[in-house]
Amino acid sequence: MRAAVEYAGKPVGWLLWEPDGYGVQIEVDCEIPSGAPLLRCYGEIGGAPLLVGLPAPENGRLRLRRHLSKETLKVAGCTQGPPTAFYLAERPQQKENAVPQAEHPPQDTAPKISDHGKPPLRTGDAVLDALLDSGAVQAERIQEGLRLHCLFAPNRPFGLAPAFVLCRVEGDEAVLDWTKKDAASVAASDSEQNVT
C-alpha cells in the first residue's frame, strides 16, 4: 500500500507499507520542509500514534527504510492493518480530547543554559545535539565524555530512539555513553562545548 505523508496538514511525500511474514517493510520518501525541526514519521492508528521512525536527509529528501516486526506493531496497537494516516512531526500529535500523559510533559524546545551560565553540553553529532536541544534527552558529563539519558518504556517512543543500537536500559531510562572515541570522527575541535 502506498499512502501520502503530511507535514502541517499538507502532503510532502509518500510511504510504502508492504506486509511480510515477519511484520511490515516500510519505505518513506518526503521533501524536507523548510525550517522544520528534527522530524519523525508517525502513523495514526486511533489511540497512541505508531512511531514509524526518524527519516534522515538523503540526496535532498527525507528518507527512511526499515522493518517493523509483528511484535512491535502489536505493542503499538496496530493489529488491524496499516494506520489510517501518516505524518511528519517533532512529536506525536495529540487528539483534542486526549489527556496529556503525566510522565511526558511538553518540553521547551529552546536550547538550555546551565545553572552556571555555560552553554549546554554538546556531543558534536547533529542528531544527538538536536535531541538535547528538544529537551527529550538530558546529558551529564562523565570522565570519558557524556552520558545521555531519557525516560524509557518498552511500549512507547523514547528520546534516544535514533541511536537505540548504542543504548542500554537502566531501570526506567535509556542510557547512551558518548565517549571521546565516539566523537573523534564527528568533531575535531578542542572546544569546551564539544566532547573531543
Side-chain angles (χ1 to χ4, degrees):
M1 171 198 91
R2 187 174 168 128
V5 177
E6 295 187 348
Y7 174 69
K10 296 181 179 159
V12 292
W14 53 265
L15 178 143
L16 191 60
W17 179 280
E18 294 182 334
D20 61 27
Y22 304 101
V24 64
Q25 190 68 37
I26 293 174
E27 184 176 349
V28 176
D29 186 321
C30 296
E31 64 186 64
I32 300 175
S34 177
L38 183 67
L39 298 174
R40 292 169 178 80
C41 182
Y42 294 95
E44 187 60 55
I45 54 176
L50 169 69
L51 174 61
V52 174
L54 179 71
E58 185 182 309
N59 297 324
R61 305 277 293 172
L62 285 177
R63 293 199 169 115
L64 170 70
R65 289 170 202 87
R66 74 177 298 197
H67 188 271
L68 295 177
S69 69
K70 285 183 179 180
E71 184 61 27
T72 299
L73 295 170
K74 181 179 174 183
V75 167
C78 188
T79 57
Q80 302 300 318
T84 57
F86 297 94
Y87 61 91
L88 297 178
E90 191 173 7
R91 57 183 51 103
Q93 295 174 354
Q94 294 288 331
K95 299 262 188 203
E96 290 180 19
N97 57 357
V99 178
Q101 297 174 358
E103 70 262 24
H104 298 290
Q107 300 286 335
D108 180 6
T109 58
K112 309 285 190 286
I113 299 295
S114 73
D115 295 337
H116 306 292
K118 293 182 181 176
L121 296 173
R122 288 280 175 264
T123 64
D125 178 84
V127 172
L128 294 177
D129 288 343
L131 293 171
L132 288 168
D133 289 344
S134 75
V137 175
Q138 290 75 45
E140 58 191 56
R141 193 168 293 282
I142 58 174
Q143 184 176 358
E144 303 83 20
L146 292 179
R147 176 162 291 156
L148 308 179
H149 55 94
C150 66
L151 288 175
F152 176 81
N155 60 345
R156 297 183 186 269
F158 65 105
L160 282 168
F164 75 95
V165 297
L166 302 173
C167 294
R168 67 182 181 279
V169 175
E170 292 182 359
D172 64 349
E173 286 194 323
V175 178
L176 185 157
D177 288 339
W178 186 257
T179 63
K180 293 181 182 184
K181 69 177 179 65
D182 296 330
S185 63
V186 176
S189 162
D190 195 27
S191 164
E192 175 81 17
Q193 295 178 349
N194 289 330
V195 177
T196 57

